[in-house]
Amino acid sequence: MKKQICLNGFIQNFPSPHSTGLWKHEKSKGHEHNRLSYWVETAQLLEKGKFDAMFIADVLGTYSVYKNSYHPAVEKAVQFPAHDPLLSISAMALTTKNLGFAVTISTTYSHPYTLARQLSTLDHLTEGRIGWNIVTSYLESEAANLGLSGRPTHEARYGRADEFLEVVYKLWEHSWDDNAILFDKDNDRFVDATKVHEIKHRGKYYSVTGPHLVEPSPQRTPVLFQAGSSPRGRKFAAKHAEAVFTKHTSLASLRAYAKDIHRLTRAHGRNPNDIKIFPLILPIIGSTEEEAHRNYEELKKYVSYEGTLSLLSGHTGIDYSTFDPDVYITEMETEAMQGNLDLYAKDPTKKWTLREAILNHGLGNGAVKFIGTPEQIAEKMELWATEGDVDGFNIAQVYSPGTFYEFVNHVVPELQKRGIYRTEYEGATLRENLFGKGRVHLPINHPGKQFSILQTNK
Ligand SMILES: Cc1cc2nc3c(=O)[nH]c(=O)nc-3n(C[C@H](O)[C@H](O)[C@H](O)COP(=O)(O)O)c2cc1C
């Protein structure tokens, strides 16, 4: 059997996900992101395409590194207006059966006790289709809004995130025994209280007594996604993640990344197959190769150059307003998103000028472009999956949800014809669809399983 791939649809609750300025395109319905009908339509479309999950990105502040001002990003609708990512999920779950929802929540700016409750509730309501994209956040403006004096360093953010995960594992995996709900009308006992445990977590950042407020949901722990690519981010992913999102402009850098993630995963005593790797791609489709390239040239005209400068400045933490557009982007360390800087500074196949990087970043948030006929795009996906040693793709959009329409109607059938993509969902929960029927919960070698009730109740 050929290697099978999985797919996620990349979206965010703002008018132009994820192509800066493309809200102006006649095919864009992104400005309807404030309506449930937009979300339901998009979810049903992804389910028609047998996607594993909708991946909903999120940030908690404006992009204000560029020119030291939020005005350019706000004017150009750069991840703004930014509505909440969680609240449309119930409606989408009611109108779909199999699609998963991987939602972004920051460990730096939320609290593990309330996050555990929210995601357990949603895992119940979706009947086991929730994933959590664990982010540590990168914008200074987020810190300014959420009570911190500044953005913590990578080391501090990931240190806090490690403890955050420890708390939620205790709540999700160990606070409740499986058979605690009695629903015993005769004896007036809904729950067996001896089977609901406090966690008594006392750590450097959090003090949480418990018990967890929600009874075990179908998956207990939601599927854990992560997308950090700094050295510290990769270590965190190797320890906790079940799937990682990543961005690469070349197959060579993707292959090197996958090798590194697999090496780190082994070092954490886990099986490399326990982490699915999803590079971000942007499909640009035509009925001929020439037409696809013409479409690409046309789409570039909609990109907001200044909006993308503010996006890339926010992603990298570098204010590009004073840079010559024809200078090359060079390697350096950043406390913002290392991966987005490395995308252009460390590409083994090409040196990127700022201007080139901006034009690339404006369409699909820096995703690599797969341009061609549906057959050519499917062929390239198969090549990247096998030669890059990855498990599937995260599909970005030029106009939302139009790119998903084109992809589902034209590329998905080609993937199925090649025998590398499902024609039916395998399981009922998100984890089962990603890892195979029967794998509803975290595997036994995952760190989330290590906090036994005896340890936590000491
Ligand atoms: C495809 C992709 C999507 C991401 N989505 C988000 C997001 O929605 N919100 C966020 O705060 N960070 C997001 N990130 C950033 C990371 O998860 C991470 O917090 C950030 O990269 C900083 O860590 P790093 O320097 O270790 O990469 C994303 C990264 C990638 C590659």
Side-chain angles (χ1 to χ4, degrees), residues 95-164:
T95 49
T96 54
K97 263 197 88 58
N98 296 99
L99 182 70
F101 304 95
V103 62
T104 300
I105 308 179
S106 170
T107 49
T108 306
Y109 302 115
S110 61
H111 192 282
Y113 185 65
T114 47
L115 173 136
R117 183 187 191 211
Q118 286 172 312
L119 293 187
S120 291
T121 303
L122 274 175
D123 200 49
H124 277 287
L125 294 176
T126 60
E127 299 178 32
R129 293 189 276 145
I130 280 294
W132 170 28
N133 178 36
I134 308 162
V135 297
T136 56
S137 300
Y138 52 88
L139 295 172
E140 281 283 359
S141 65
E142 298 176 308
N145 284 313
L146 289 143
L148 299 189
S149 54
R151 178 188 55 209
T153 61
H154 268 120
E155 198 49 46
R157 287 181 343 238
Y158 281 110
R160 177 188 280 263
D162 264 324
E163 191 184 326
F164 193 115

Side-chain angles (χ1 to χ4, degrees), residues 10-12 18 55-60 63 79 103-106 133-139 142 154 157-158 225-234 244-247 278-280 315 334-340 365 394:
F10 189 39
I11 197 163
Q12 189 168 335
H18 275 104
F55 162 25
I56 312 170
D58 192 38
V59 290
L60 295 163
Y63 280 71
Q79 301 192 8
V103 62
T104 300
I105 308 179
S106 170
N133 178 36
I134 308 162
V135 297
T136 56
S137 300
Y138 52 88
L139 295 172
E142 298 176 308
H154 268 120
R157 287 181 343 238
Y158 281 110
F225 290 76
Q226 214 264 344
S229 60
S230 63
R232 187 63 181 88
R234 290 182 191 200
V244 285
F245 295 121
T246 183
K247 274 188 217 175
F278 295 114
L280 184 68
H315 278 166
T334 171
E335 286 298 335
M337 271 210 266
Q338 190 68 49
N340 275 267
N365 240 22
N394 185 21

Side-chain angles (χ1 to χ4, degrees), residues 63-234:
Y63 280 71
S64 49
V65 174
Y66 178 70
K67 292 188 173 167
N68 198 20
S69 165
Y70 63 85
H71 282 188
V74 164
E75 180 177 295
K76 308 294 180 197
V78 177
Q79 301 192 8
F80 193 87
H83 294 204
D84 188 276
L86 277 174
L87 300 178
S88 60
I89 292 177
S90 293
M92 293 193 280
L94 187 65
T95 49
T96 54
K97 263 197 88 58
N98 296 99
L99 182 70
F101 304 95
V103 62
T104 300
I105 308 179
S106 170
T107 49
T108 306
Y109 302 115
S110 61
H111 192 282
Y113 185 65
T114 47
L115 173 136
R117 183 187 191 211
Q118 286 172 312
L119 293 187
S120 291
T121 303
L122 274 175
D123 200 49
H124 277 287
L125 294 176
T126 60
E127 299 178 32
R129 293 189 276 145
I130 280 294
W132 170 28
N133 178 36
I134 308 162
V135 297
T136 56
S137 300
Y138 52 88
L139 295 172
E140 281 283 359
S141 65
E142 298 176 308
N145 284 313
L146 289 143
L148 299 189
S149 54
R151 178 188 55 209
T153 61
H154 268 120
E155 198 49 46
R157 287 181 343 238
Y158 281 110
R160 177 188 280 263
D162 264 324
E163 191 184 326
F164 193 115
L165 270 284
E166 191 180 323
V167 177
V168 292
Y169 291 148
K170 289 174 180 172
L171 293 166
W172 284 326
E173 295 291 331
H174 303 294
S175 185
W176 285 67
D177 295 353
D178 276 338
N179 51 0
I181 299 276
L182 300 172
F183 201 66
D184 177 356
K185 294 184 183 176
D186 295 338
N187 294 300
D188 190 17
R189 294 178 77 207
F190 193 88
V191 178
D192 179 346
T194 66
K195 293 184 172 170
V196 180
H197 313 284
E198 291 182 330
I199 64 164
K200 294 186 179 147
H201 176 89
R202 303 284 175 261
K204 180 171 170 196
Y205 299 100
Y206 302 106
S207 175
V208 178
T209 301
H212 186 31
L213 283 173
V214 185
E215 75 275 28
S217 65
Q219 299 184 114
R220 280 188 174 259
T221 296
V223 178
L224 301 172
F225 290 76
Q226 214 264 344
S229 60
S230 63
R232 187 63 181 88
R234 290 182 191 200

